[in-house]
Amino acid sequence: YARADRPERMLRVPKYRASLVDPYREHLRKRRAEDPAVPVQHLLEEIKALGFTGCLNLLHKYINQGRADADRSHIYPRRLARTILTRPDNLKAEHHDLLARLTAACPEMTQLAAAVRGFATLLTPCARNADGLSRWIVEVRSADLPHLHAFTRGLDRDRDAVNAALTLPYSNGPTEGVNTKTKRIARQMHGRAGFTLLRHRILLG
C-alpha cells in the first residue's frame, strides 16, 4: 500500500515457484535501476557470464511478472485490518513499524487508524465515555470515510445501549459464555438426549 502507484498494485501478491533466475535477481535489480532501458538480451549475456543456464524466454517472463523489480510493501487487506484493530501493546516491534508506514501512506489511512485508536480508548468503561463518544462521532463525520459514517449512524440508532456499554461496568459476556457452553454440550449429544440429561451435564460440569 505504501508504495503503490496505482490500484492494481494493491491486489494480492502472486506466489511464484522457484526459478533459475532467482540467484541473479539482485544483479537484475541493480542493472535495471542504473539503466531502465537496458535490453533484456544484454541482461541475459551478463547473467550467463555469472552462471545462468536458462533461456531468454524464461528471463523475459521473469521480468514481465515484475519479479526483478524492487520489493514493494504489501499486506493482505484482512491482515492489515486485523493489525489496525489489535491492541498496540500486543503488536510486535516490526508490526508497529509496518503499520506506521502503511497508515502514513495516504490521508484516508491516517484518519482511519486515528479513528480506530480513538474508539478503542472508549471501550474501557468510564462515566466520561458518553461525552467522549459524541466528540468521536463528530470527528469521524468530518473525515472522508463513508464506511465509518455508516457505523456512526448505527451508533446513533441505539445510542442509549451504546452509552450503557461504554459507561457501565456490567457485561453480558458471562451470559453469552453460558449460552455457548450449553449449545456445545447439546451438540456433543447429537440431539439424542433429552432435557434431563442436558440439565445434569450442565449442573455437574
Side-chain angles (χ1 to χ4, degrees):
Y1 288 94
R3 300 183 185 179
D5 55 355
R6 57 185 185 276
E8 291 77 11
R9 299 291 285 272
M10 294 191 292
L11 297 176
R12 180 171 295 189
V13 178
K15 295 181 180 179
Y16 298 107
R17 294 181 179 177
S19 169
L20 292 175
V21 188
D22 285 339
Y24 312 97
R25 187 179 185 184
E26 293 304 322
H27 177 81
L28 295 173
R29 289 182 177 180
K30 180 180 178 181
R31 289 288 288 115
R32 285 165 59 83
E34 294 171 349
D35 181 10
V38 59
V40 178
Q41 184 65 47
H42 290 181
L43 294 176
L44 176 64
E45 294 170 0
E46 291 176 10
I47 62 176
K48 274 197 169 183
L50 298 174
F52 177 63
T53 58
C55 61
L56 180 62
N57 286 341
L58 180 60
L59 180 59
H60 262 297
K61 182 178 180 181
Y62 195 90
I63 293 175
N64 290 339
Q65 289 174 339
R67 299 171 68 180
D69 295 338
D71 285 330
R72 301 191 300 271
S73 295
H74 64 269
I75 184 173
Y76 294 161
R78 183 175 296 178
R79 183 186 167 202
L80 176 59
R82 185 171 65 247
T83 304
I84 292 176
L85 294 171
T86 298
R87 185 186 295 272
D89 296 342
N90 295 337
L91 289 175
K92 297 180 180 178
E94 58 268 25
H95 293 160
H96 275 290
D97 296 338
L98 176 62
L99 183 60
R101 293 201 308 272
L102 294 178
T103 54
C106 67
E108 289 81 3
M109 287 297 300
T110 304
Q111 291 173 339
L112 175 63
V116 170
R117 286 193 295 268
F119 190 78
T121 62
L122 301 174
L123 297 180
T124 301
C126 174
R128 298 187 300 272
N129 282 350
D131 294 334
L133 178 62
S134 297
R135 291 191 297 271
W136 184 84
I137 290 176
V138 171
E139 292 173 1
V140 167
R141 286 178 175 170
S142 66
D144 185 19
L145 299 170
H147 290 84
L148 283 188
H149 295 176
F151 178 66
T152 61
R153 289 194 295 271
L155 294 177
D156 278 338
R157 281 196 295 268
D158 205 5
R159 188 61 183 273
D160 290 340
V162 174
N163 285 343
L166 298 181
T167 59
L168 301 177
Y170 311 111
S171 170
N172 69 334
T175 302
E176 294 299 332
V178 172
N179 289 341
T180 301
K181 180 180 178 181
T182 302
K183 292 177 181 177
R184 176 176 58 81
I185 294 174
R187 284 196 299 269
Q188 287 176 341
M189 298 187 294
H190 304 287
R192 295 185 180 137
F195 175 78
T196 302
L197 179 57
L198 176 61
R199 178 176 180 274
H200 279 297
R201 289 199 59 183
I202 291 174
L203 293 177
L204 296 175

